[in-house]
């Protein structure tokens, strides 16, 4: 083996480089794929909350003979005091943030006949406490696409934001005062969201509660949570699950299981997925992982082809050596064992170097794309070595199979 590596340096280096490159790409892709879930989910959180919590009464239908008997009203309300309990649930660390909403109808100016507008009360960057934990939450976390010209209101003030569409109609700008339902408030910024809020007034939640005359009232809560892509098990009804199945469902960060726990945390509430966002996240993540799998397989296949070419040439150049071994009594197993031992050594060297290079590549991908560190799990090292051995053996098998079939007479004459 030593003489083989010494006399065929170029062939061995070529095969080793092929293994190293293939294994390096595989290491990087596997490391990123196994650590990509939370990072992709955090990136997708920029597109908004994926769960919504509403009062349980809003989901109840009161019908007799097809006639809706539910009395007309503004609906039920959640209690603002219950919201910090979200940080006490099992998957609290997966909750990126939440933002309560309370829309109220207001009029501008003193004229009672003035056209009614919607004032939306919410948290902007509210500091809350649950137990010994302090945290900050609000639309600046759950709705990062909201843009403000001016400044964001303080959650303890009576300053407001005016949507850019409404501001254009009213001729309002940051710094103006506006009279809302008989109360003068300062416009601190102009809000642009690309949604209904562009024609609304957005204010601290306390101000909306004051106008409505219902302290602590919340109409709905948008929750942004890191979730696992939905599969068939995630869609099962938890009421039909028992024992270990229920524990597995409850302890998995599915959107459905987190919604279930939100209902447990907030009394008299109903939580559900915002389907478009939750399902698109799973689709995006699955496609990215699928693309990484294809890149990994392509790299390993190319590596196996390069090893096959290098080993075939190397063995052909050593046909006289193989013929001499056979003439001296070496059997097929002995000949194959020698070449497989060389392939194993190549695989181990290429696997170790490829793993180190792949780990550096994975960390670079993490920094450049996700602005965070990719974690390389120790268990990945033996897996990568096994992959290197499999790829090298697969690439060498055909050449070694041809070597053991050499006829020693022809091989020694150089005719094989």
């Amino acid at each position: 083996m030593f003489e083989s590596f010494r006399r065929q340096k170029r062939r061995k280096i070529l095969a080793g480089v092929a293994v190293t490159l293939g294994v390096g790409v595989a290491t990087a892709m596997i490391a990123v794929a196994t650590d990509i879930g939370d990072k992709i989910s955090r990136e997708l959180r920029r597109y908004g909350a994926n769960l919504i919590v509403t009062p349980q009464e809003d989901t109840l239908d009161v019908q007799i003979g097809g006639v809706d008997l539910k009395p007309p009203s503004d609906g039920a309300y959640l209690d603002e005091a219950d919201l910090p309990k979200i940080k006490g649930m099992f998957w609290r660390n997966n909750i990126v943030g939440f933002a309560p909403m309370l829309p109220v109808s207001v009029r501008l100016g003193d004229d009672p006949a003035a056209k009614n507008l919607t004032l939306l009360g919410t948290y902007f960057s509210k500091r809350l406490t649950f137990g010994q934990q302090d945290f900050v939450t609000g639309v600046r976390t759950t709705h990062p696409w909201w843009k403000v010209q001016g400044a964001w209101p303080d959650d303890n003030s009576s300053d407001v934001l005016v949507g850019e569409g409404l501001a254009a109609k009213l001729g309002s700008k940051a710094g103006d005062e506006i009279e809302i339902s008989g109360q003068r408030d300062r416009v601190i910024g102009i809000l642009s969201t690309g949604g209904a809020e562009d024609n609304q007034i957005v204010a601290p939640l306390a101000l909306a509660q004051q106008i409505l005359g219902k302290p602590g009232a919340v109409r709905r809560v948008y929750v942004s949570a890191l979730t696992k892509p939905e599969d068939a098990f995630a869609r099962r009804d938890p009421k039909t699950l028992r024992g270990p199945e229920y524990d597995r469902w409850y302890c998995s960060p599915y959107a459905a299981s987190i919604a279930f726990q939100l209902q447990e945390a907030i009394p008299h509430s109903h939580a559900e997925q915002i389907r478009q966002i939750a399902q698109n996240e799973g689709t995006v993540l699955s496609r990215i992982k699928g693309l990484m799998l294809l890149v990994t397989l392509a790299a390993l296949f190319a590596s196996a082809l390069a090893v096959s070419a290098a080993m075939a040439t190397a063995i052909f150049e050593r046909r006289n050596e193989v013929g001499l071994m056979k003439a001296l009594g070496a059997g097929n197993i002995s000949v194959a064992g020698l070449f497989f031992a060389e392939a194993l050594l190549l695989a181990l060297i290429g696997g170790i170097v490829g793993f180190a290079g792949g780990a550096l590549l994975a960390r670079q991908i993490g920094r450049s794309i996700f602005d965070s560190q990719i974690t390389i799990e120790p268990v990945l090292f033996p897996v990568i070595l096994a992959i290197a051995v499999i790829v090298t053996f697969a690439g060498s098998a055909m050449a070694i199979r041809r070597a053991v079939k050499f006829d020693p007479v022809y091989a020694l004459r150089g005719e094989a």
Side-chain angles (χ1 to χ4, degrees):
M1 283 178 59
F2 174 77
E3 286 300 315
S4 170
F5 277 83
R6 186 181 68 82
R7 287 187 285 108
Q8 291 187 313
K9 290 179 182 177
R10 288 185 59 190
R11 305 296 181 196
K12 295 299 189 288
I13 289 174
L14 177 61
V17 168
V19 174
T20 299
L21 291 177
V23 168
V25 172
T27 301
M29 293 297 101
I30 293 173
V32 172
T34 54
D35 199 41
I36 199 177
D38 284 352
K39 291 176 174 58
I40 286 289
S41 191
R42 286 187 183 278
E43 288 293 318
L44 292 175
R45 293 280 52 75
R46 296 183 181 183
Y47 297 99
N50 51 352
L51 298 166
I52 184 169
V53 185
T54 56
Q56 191 176 45
E57 293 179 24
D58 286 2
T59 65
L60 301 177
D61 291 326
V62 183
Q63 294 186 345
I64 296 179
V67 179
D68 189 2
L69 299 181
K70 195 172 183 179
S73 68
D74 291 336
Y77 297 95
L78 300 171
D79 189 349
E80 182 186 2
D82 293 324
L83 300 188
K85 296 178 183 178
I86 292 175
K87 282 296 186 176
M89 53 187 275
F90 181 81
W91 284 109
R92 57 187 173 274
N93 293 327
N94 280 46
I95 303 298
V96 176
F98 58 86
M101 300 286 182
L102 179 63
V104 297
S105 182
V106 297
R107 68 176 190 277
L108 299 182
D110 295 327
D111 185 3
K115 184 178 179 181
N116 286 340
L117 298 171
T118 297
L119 181 143
L120 182 67
T122 188
Y123 289 164
F124 295 103
S125 189
K126 181 81 170 179
R127 182 170 294 278
L128 299 174
T129 301
F130 181 79
Q132 297 182 342
Q133 181 182 7
D134 292 332
F135 60 96
V136 176
T137 189
V139 292
R140 297 185 70 175
T141 301
T142 60
H143 296 63
W145 68 91
W146 283 19
K147 303 300 179 186
V148 171
Q149 295 178 1
W152 288 90
D154 188 282
D155 284 288
N156 298 316
S157 71
S158 60
D159 297 334
V160 301
L161 299 174
V162 176
E164 62 178 359
L166 180 59
K169 294 177 184 176
L170 300 177
S172 298
K173 61 183 183 299
D176 290 349
E177 285 195 347
I178 188 171
E179 187 171 341
I180 304 173
S181 296
Q183 175 179 324
R184 298 197 68 81
D185 299 294
R186 182 173 58 147
V187 177
I188 199 171
I190 306 301
L191 176 67
S192 173
T193 69
E197 296 84 7
D198 285 350
N199 291 298
Q200 297 176 354
I201 299 170
V202 182
L205 181 63
L207 180 59
Q209 293 168 343
Q210 178 185 337
I211 294 172
L212 186 63
K214 294 186 177 182
V218 172
R219 191 72 183 85
R220 58 185 179 271
V221 182
Y222 288 97
V223 180
S224 181
L226 302 177
T227 60
K228 179 180 179 180
E230 196 175 64
D231 53 25
F233 185 72
R235 290 187 285 270
R236 294 184 62 178
D237 185 350
K239 296 178 182 178
T240 64
L241 302 177
R242 296 291 182 273
E245 281 193 330
Y246 177 81
D247 292 339
R248 177 189 160 198
W249 184 89
Y250 190 90
C251 297
S252 298
Y254 296 124
S257 60
I258 293 179
F260 182 79
Q261 292 171 33
L262 286 169
Q263 293 178 177
E264 293 181 324
I266 303 176
H268 313 296
S269 68
H270 172 75
E272 62 183 359
Q273 304 175 53
I274 301 176
R275 285 280 173 185
Q276 278 185 315
I277 295 176
Q279 290 181 350
N280 285 341
E281 285 179 10
T283 301
V284 169
L285 185 56
S286 297
R287 288 178 179 176
I288 290 176
K289 287 187 174 181
L291 177 60
M292 289 184 172
L293 176 61
L294 288 177
V295 170
T296 301
L297 294 177
L300 294 177
F301 182 70
S303 177
L305 289 179
V307 170
S308 178
M311 291 296 288
T313 305
I315 290 174
F316 182 77
E317 290 175 351
R318 295 169 64 187
R319 60 191 183 279
N320 291 340
E321 179 184 334
V322 174
L324 182 59
M325 290 174 61
K326 286 198 158 191
L328 294 175
N332 290 344
I333 294 178
S334 298
V335 174
L338 173 64
F339 288 115
F340 274 121
E342 293 180 9
L344 178 62
L345 184 58
L346 273 175
L348 293 177
I349 295 173
I352 293 171
V353 177
F355 179 80
L360 293 175
L361 178 59
R363 289 193 173 94
Q364 183 60 36
I365 291 173
R367 283 194 296 269
S368 60
I369 297 179
F370 303 108
D371 195 25
S372 63
Q373 188 79 10
I374 295 291
T375 302
I376 308 296
E377 298 294 339
V379 72
L380 186 59
F381 181 63
V383 173
I384 291 301
L385 287 184
I387 290 175
V389 171
I390 292 171
V391 167
T392 308
F393 279 14
S396 305
M398 289 297 294
I400 295 173
R401 182 169 178 268
R402 183 181 175 188
V404 299
K405 290 185 176 181
F406 282 163
D407 188 310
V409 174
Y410 294 106
L412 288 172
R413 290 168 57 183
E415 298 178 6

